[in-house]
């Protein structure tokens, strides 16, 4: 699906989100079984001016809850990807993509795939969050040998002025023999300015039970300019829990070649045991260059 209007590119909303995509709870790919398959659309949103005047409205908002729901046997679902390119967005939240309890009650040998999320070349002025990708309890209640495959997230060359700049949250679960595989996160060459909270915020909460596996590729934060953010320039948090026979593999993040100035702390790593930090220019921050807190968390 493509949203692109060369002749009249302004998309305005006074009371709601300017562009809103909702997959109703428990109604997408409900009770698939056998060797069935389904393919949902990719979204391409390009070359628009997008305005929402609502105090809570988003420029681009997607929500899905409890979907796909109760998928069994050898069924396969492609849930689509996103290309959001070269838009000007003025809203409370610029871009907000929320995957809530994704793959709920999927079982057997079913496979679900989310395509890549590519957010590039946008200019965003937001009262709250500029760019937010929220994997919210994905893999929850996924059993047997079911698999969830999630594509890369690429956030590149955007200009963001807002409360929170760029935020990506991973709340990921796996049970029994299920498997979750997630791609790379690349946050590169963005300009994040004048945030009253964190410039770039990444949060991992990963929990694997029984004999399940969670695997997430590395995060790369490279070449960004982060200026005048009240809290941290870059913040990363990790929490990992797994049973003795389960596996969680989170590749180490890389933070390099960023220019961070006039923030509270340049880089704050919270419970991140291993991270590559190199060739950053960090100066004129209130609390210091790099703050590091590491805790030992339990593993059964």
């Amino acid at each position: 699906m493509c949203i692109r209007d060369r002749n009249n590119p302004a998309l305005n909303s006074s009371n709601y989100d300017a562009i809103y995509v909702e997959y109703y709870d428990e109604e997408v790919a409900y009770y698939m079984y056998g060797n069935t398959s389904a393919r949902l659309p990719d979204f391409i949103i390009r070359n628009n001016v997008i305005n929402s005047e609502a105090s809570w409205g988003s420029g681009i908002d997607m929500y899905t809850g409890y979907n796909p729901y109760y998928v069994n046997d050898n069924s396969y679902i492609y849930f689509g990807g996103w290309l959001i390119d070269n838009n000007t967005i003025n809203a409370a939240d610029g871009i907000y993509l929320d995957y809530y309890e994704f793959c709920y009650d999927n079982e057997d040998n079913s496979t679900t795939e989310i395509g890549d999320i590519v957010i590039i070349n946008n200019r965003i002025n937001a009262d709250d969050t500029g760019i937010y990708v929220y994997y919210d309890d994905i893999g929850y209640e996924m059993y047997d040998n079911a698999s969830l495959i999630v594509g890369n997230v690429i956030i590149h060359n955007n200009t963001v002025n807002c409360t929170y700049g760029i935020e990506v949250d991973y709340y990921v679960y796996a049970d029994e023999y299920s498997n979750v595989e997630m791609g790379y996160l690349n946050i590169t060459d963005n300009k994040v300015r004048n945030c009253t909270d964190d410039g770039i915020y990444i949060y991992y909460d990963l929990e694997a039970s029984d004999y399940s596996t969670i695997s997430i590729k590395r995060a790369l934060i490279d070449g960004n300019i982060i200026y005048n953010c009240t809290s941290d320039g870059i913040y990363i948090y990790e929490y990992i829990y797994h049973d003795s026979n389960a596996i969680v593999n989170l590749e180490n993040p890389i933070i390099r070649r960023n220019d961070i100035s006039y923030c509270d702390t340049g880089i704050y790593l919270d419970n991140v045991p291993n991270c590559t930090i190199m060739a950053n220019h960090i100066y004129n921050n209130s609390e210091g260059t790099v703050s590091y807190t590491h805790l030992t968390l339990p593993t059964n």
Side-chain angles (χ1 to χ4, degrees):
M1 179 178 291
C2 182
I3 299 174
R4 180 181 183 185
D5 190 340
R6 292 179 180 270
N7 297 318
N8 183 23
L11 301 171
N12 299 311
S13 175
S14 59
N15 297 311
Y16 303 100
D17 301 314
I19 298 174
Y20 182 56
V21 178
E22 180 179 6
Y23 297 99
Y24 291 130
D25 290 358
E26 302 180 7
E27 293 189 11
V28 178
Y30 172 71
Y31 193 37
M32 291 177 59
Y33 56 91
N35 293 304
T36 55
S37 64
R39 184 178 181 89
L40 277 67
D42 294 311
F43 285 89
I44 301 173
I45 303 175
R46 174 177 282 165
N47 299 338
N48 300 284
V49 176
I50 301 170
N51 301 313
S52 174
E53 298 176 4
S55 61
W56 50 266
S58 298
I60 301 169
D61 189 351
M62 186 282 299
Y63 169 79
T64 176
Y66 305 99
N67 294 309
Y69 177 56
Y70 196 42
V71 175
N72 299 273
D73 301 333
N74 295 303
S75 297
Y76 170 79
I77 300 147
Y78 175 72
F79 210 83
W82 291 82
L83 172 59
I84 303 173
D85 175 22
N86 195 38
N87 302 281
T88 297
I89 302 173
N90 302 290
D93 290 308
I95 298 168
Y96 194 110
L97 307 180
D98 184 0
Y99 297 84
Y100 178 63
E101 296 205 1
F102 196 82
C103 280
Y104 184 78
D105 203 18
N106 288 9
E107 300 176 359
D108 303 324
N109 294 302
S110 64
T111 301
T112 301
E113 181 178 359
I114 300 174
D116 291 343
I117 296 173
V118 180
I119 302 172
I120 55 175
N121 307 321
N122 301 281
R123 296 154 301 282
I124 300 171
N125 297 295
D127 295 329
D128 196 356
T129 305
I131 298 171
Y132 192 12
V133 179
Y134 193 10
Y135 295 118
D136 185 5
D137 292 353
I138 67 170
Y140 185 74
E141 300 288 339
M142 190 172 71
Y143 298 114
D144 299 330
N145 293 301
S147 293
L148 169 59
I149 301 170
V150 182
N152 301 318
V153 176
I154 299 169
I155 301 173
H156 174 73
N157 196 37
N158 302 280
T159 298
V160 179
N161 294 277
C162 53
T163 299
Y164 293 89
I166 297 169
E167 181 171 351
V168 182
D169 289 353
Y170 296 83
Y171 290 82
V172 185
Y173 296 88
D175 294 296
E176 295 187 355
Y177 290 87
S178 65
N179 175 57
V180 179
E181 299 178 25
M182 306 189 74
Y184 294 102
L185 169 61
N186 291 343
I187 303 177
T188 58
D189 297 329
N190 301 280
K191 298 179 180 64
V192 181
R193 299 169 175 161
N194 304 321
C195 297
T196 56
D197 213 286
D198 299 313
I200 295 174
Y201 179 101
I202 303 171
Y203 194 99
Y204 296 98
D205 187 329
L206 315 177
E207 300 185 32
S209 302
D210 305 315
Y211 294 85
S212 63
T213 301
I214 297 172
S215 178
I216 302 178
K217 297 293 186 181
R218 62 101 185 98
L220 171 64
I221 306 174
D222 182 24
N224 302 281
I225 298 173
I226 304 171
Y227 170 78
N228 195 32
C229 293
T230 303
S231 189
D232 306 311
I234 297 170
Y235 175 89
I236 303 177
Y237 173 83
E238 294 181 8
Y239 172 89
I240 297 174
Y241 175 87
H242 60 85
D243 289 343
S244 58
N245 292 309
I247 297 172
V248 175
N249 180 23
L250 174 62
E251 293 186 3
N252 299 329
I254 300 172
I255 302 173
R256 71 185 185 199
R257 301 189 306 177
N258 301 282
D259 188 295
I260 306 171
S261 63
Y262 295 97
C263 299
D264 186 11
T265 301
I267 299 171
Y268 192 101
L269 303 179
D270 191 353
N271 199 48
V272 179
N274 295 291
C275 179
T276 298
I277 302 174
M278 58 185 298
N280 298 281
H281 188 200
I282 304 173
Y283 57 99
N284 290 339
N285 298 290
S286 299
E287 295 296 329
T289 301
V290 178
S291 293
Y292 180 86
T293 302
H294 177 55
L295 306 175
T296 300
L297 298 178
T299 299
N300 282 349

